[in-house]
Amino acid sequence: MEASSVILMGFTASLCASMGTTVGSLGVLTIRHLSRRMEDGLLSLAAGIMLAATFFSLLLPALDHATADYNSEMLSAFVVALGVLLGAGTLFFIHQRTPHEHFKTGREGASASRLSRIWLFVIAITLHNFPEGLAVGVGFAGGEITNGISLAVGIGLQNIPEGLAVSVALLSVGYSPMRSAMIGIASGLVEPVGGLVGAVAVSTMAAFMPWALAFAAGAMLFIISDEIIPETHQNGNQNLATFSLLFGFVIMMILDVALA
Ligand SMILES: [Zn+2]
């Protein structure tokens, strides 16, 4: 398959996946409030989908490509392991440097600390949409259309609760419903950017493919472990969070098998 069509597919698919964020964000116009319990459950569901997408649509293809490239399963495992650690390490580095403090300025009706907590959450979701887009973009590597589509569907699905959570959080600190929805939608626009970067990387340098898939997997694992799981286990909803994650995982696993 031509490099240009892989790039076009990767970009279009990641743009479609970001529509999930749009749908979820617009949900704020009807669903004005989410209980903490509901929010923890929804975000855990998203994390479960991300987790399964990481394994079935990124790590397995990464290992396949690497084994074909290097003619050795052992070497393939090492390359993919290194790629995962690089992806996670890069995200860690970016996280350390994100200037969250910029958003501490107060606003009427909400305490400064609550406002900055909400903005931290908005930034966190926005940031994590980049590796998600990257994942979708690299998912089409080598013209593997079904793999790319199953990733785009899974990522798109888990964007719905994420977009809703972002917009409802903004509404709760005093932004108007329309503004909350718009900021939520904007947080999803990072995704096609990631998609384009990923698709260009894998289609211009074939040797880069297992690395890119593994890198995206590491970035996703970092976010799930560093952000979503601790966040959703903080408010006494651990059991719900755990089972929502498992439920999201099996949904994505079934989706992956069904589309393959
Ligand atoms: Zn996500």
Side-chain angles (χ1 to χ4, degrees), residues 21 37 51 53 59 90 117 151 164 169 192 199 248:
T21 308
R37 209 178 143 69
L51 200 55
L59 287 177
T90 305
R117 228 201 102 248
L151 257 171
L164 180 65

Side-chain angles (χ1 to χ4, degrees), residues 78-90:
F78 272 112
V79 164
V80 173
L82 199 59
V84 167
L85 294 177
L86 271 173
T90 305

Side-chain angles (χ1 to χ4, degrees), residues 22-98:
T22 304
V23 170
S25 300
L26 288 175
V28 76
L29 302 177
T30 44
I31 304 165
R32 295 291 171 97
H33 176 76
L34 279 181
S35 66
R36 195 64 236 196
R37 209 178 143 69
M38 194 66 190
E39 196 178 307
D40 286 344
L42 285 173
L43 286 177
S44 300
L45 189 73
I49 295 174
M50 290 167 69
L51 200 55
T54 301
F55 282 97
F56 297 103
S57 306
L58 293 173
L59 287 177
L60 289 183
L63 288 164
D64 282 348
H65 283 296
T67 307
D69 285 2
Y70 302 105
N71 257 319
S72 150
E73 285 189 339
M74 202 57 205
L75 196 57
S76 153
F78 272 112
V79 164
V80 173
L82 199 59
V84 167
L85 294 177
L86 271 173
T90 305
L91 259 268
F92 175 70
F93 185 77
I94 294 171
H95 254 229
Q96 298 285 65
R97 268 144 210 278
T98 315

